[in-house]
């Protein structure tokens, strides 16, 4: 389906799955690319998550431009970002901003994925600090990261690591979305 995702490439079947499910149509049209190694921005992540929750035909309510100071009404994905906020999945990157163009880290993604899967009221069991060598019990999102592993949504980034501060690539995002929402 995508020129830059050959058969057998990392996450190729997951990328095809989210394409078939209507969650993405890629990053470019001519040629049709997915951009698997490109980091996912927080704006793009809002679209991925809400389509994962509500399906391919979902359209969020129109943006107001009043929720986050850095997401004006005409900004890319403004309606998606505001709906992610309305559903309680995000409160932004600060009290007044969303940081739509920033890359999403693997630690933050753990929180977003589980809130998207279970609702904003979800809280994972306490962390043990023993699942990944780079995620001690005191680390940001440790409980969320461990829960992702317990549910089989992630096995980390290699060895015994999770790489919590690394950006989520579009290829990894496809894996996360398929596993979180149990897509075929």
């Amino acid at each position: 389906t995508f020129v830059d995702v050959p058969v057998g490439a990392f996450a190729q079947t997951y990328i095809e799955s989210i394409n078939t499910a209507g969650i993405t149509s890629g990053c470019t049209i001519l040629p049709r690319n997915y951009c698997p190694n490109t980091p996912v921005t927080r704006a793009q992540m809002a679209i991925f998550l809400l389509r994962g929750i509500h399906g391919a035909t979902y359209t969020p309510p129109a943006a107001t431009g009043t929720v986050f100071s850095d997401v004006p009404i005409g900004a890319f994905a403004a309606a998606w970002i505001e709906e992610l906020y309305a559903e309680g999945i995000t409160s932004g990157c600060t009290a007044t901003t969303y940081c739509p163009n920033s890359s999403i880290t693997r630690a933050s993604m753990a929180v977003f994925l589980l809130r998207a899967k279970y609702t904003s009221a979800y809280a994972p069991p306490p962390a043990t600090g023993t699942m990944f060598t780079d995620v001690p019990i005191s680390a940001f999102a440790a409980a969320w990261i461990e829960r992702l592993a317990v549910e089989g949504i992630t096995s980390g980034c290699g060895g015994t690591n999770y790489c919590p501060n690394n950006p989520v690539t579009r290829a990894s995002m496809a894996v996360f979305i398929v596993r979180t929402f149990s897509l075929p």
Side-chain angles (χ1 to χ4, degrees):
T1 303
F2 299 105
V3 174
D4 60 349
V5 184
V7 172
F10 169 71
Q12 182 256 332
T13 57
Y14 295 94
I15 293 166
E16 295 294 335
S17 178
I18 64 171
N19 176 66
T20 300
I23 292 172
T24 188
S25 57
C27 63
T28 64
I29 296 172
L30 290 173
R32 190 148 187 238
N33 287 310
Y34 181 74
C35 304
N37 299 317
T38 302
V40 175
T41 66
R42 290 172 56 89
Q44 293 166 339
M45 188 240 359
I47 298 168
F48 278 121
L49 290 177
L50 289 171
R51 284 188 177 154
I53 294 167
H54 301 292
T57 60
Y58 176 74
T59 302
T64 64
T66 61
V67 177
F68 296 110
S69 62
D70 60 347
V71 183
I73 197 166
F76 169 71
W80 300 88
I81 293 165
E82 289 186 10
E83 183 58 21
L84 203 67
Y85 173 81
E87 293 189 19
I89 297 170
T90 189
S91 56
C93 61
T94 72
T96 60
T97 60
Y98 181 74
C99 305
N101 300 317
S102 295
S103 298
I104 190 80
T105 65
R106 290 172 56 88
S108 293
M109 181 54 65
V111 178
F112 281 111
L113 289 169
L114 291 171
R115 283 185 179 163
K117 182 177 181 178
Y118 294 116
T119 78
S120 61
Y122 177 77
T128 65
T130 61
M131 193 158 292
F132 296 107
T133 55
D134 61 350
V135 182
I137 198 167
S138 61
F140 167 71
W144 301 85
I145 292 165
E146 288 185 11
R147 188 67 204 168
L148 277 189
V150 167
E151 293 193 17
I153 296 170
T154 189
S155 58
C157 62
T160 59
N161 291 319
Y162 179 75
C163 304
N165 298 318
N166 286 5
V168 175
T169 64
R170 289 175 56 88
S172 293
M173 186 69 180
V175 176
F176 286 146
I177 292 294
V178 168
R179 290 180 177 169
T180 298
F181 299 108
S182 302
L183 298 176

